[in-house]
Each structure stands twice: as structure tokens, then as C-alpha cells.
Amino acid sequence: MSCFSEILKKDEEYSALYEAVKCSNSPVGAIGLPDINKFHIIHSLCEDTGKKAFVLTPDEASAVRAYEDL
């Protein structure tokens, strides 16, 4: 478990996302966050639930940045 996961588990909004992903209530989204924060959350959700993520980006450059950040 990463240090990000430990910190995020204390957050109410993260807990709601975690429960939705865990119970397969998807798709889920996090709006209003900078991309790097979204990728930390995606990584933590995948790590905590053991599930994979499917991430949509607006263009190839964004996809490359997402891949590198994840």
C-alpha cells in the first residue's frame, strides 16, 4: 500500500469512490481535480480494490502524460 492510499483512505470523498468501485457501481469520476491528483486517486483505487481502470483522455498527448504519471 502506498503512502497516498493511506492518506486518501481518511478522506470522505475517496471513501465514496472506493465503495463505488468496490461494488462495481461504475463508471465513477472525480471532477475539478488537477490531472496529477486524479491519477493518484486512480492508482490508489486500483491498488486498494485490486481492480483495473479504464481512463479516457481528450487526446494522445494527454494519454501519454497520464501513462507517465500512473
Side-chain angles (χ1 to χ4, degrees), residues 5-19:
S5 293
E6 281 300 314
I7 293 168
L8 286 171
K9 281 186 173 184
K10 298 174 185 175
D11 184 76
E12 186 177 317
E13 286 84 8
Y14 178 80
S15 295
L17 285 171
Y18 171 81
E19 288 300 322

Side-chain angles (χ1 to χ4, degrees), residues 30-65:
I31 298 171
L33 294 171
D35 286 344
I36 189 68
N37 297 109
K38 288 180 187 177
F39 302 135
H40 284 145
I41 289 172
I42 291 167
H43 176 269
S44 293
L45 286 169
C46 290
E47 187 176 70
D48 292 343
T49 62
K51 296 187 177 193
K52 296 181 180 182
F54 181 75
V55 180
L56 296 175
T57 62
D59 53 40
E60 186 176 355
S62 298
V64 170
R65 282 193 304 276

Side-chain angles (χ1 to χ4, degrees), residues 21-33:
V21 171
K22 183 179 167 189
C23 296
S24 297
N25 294 333
S26 56
V28 299
I31 298 171
L33 294 171

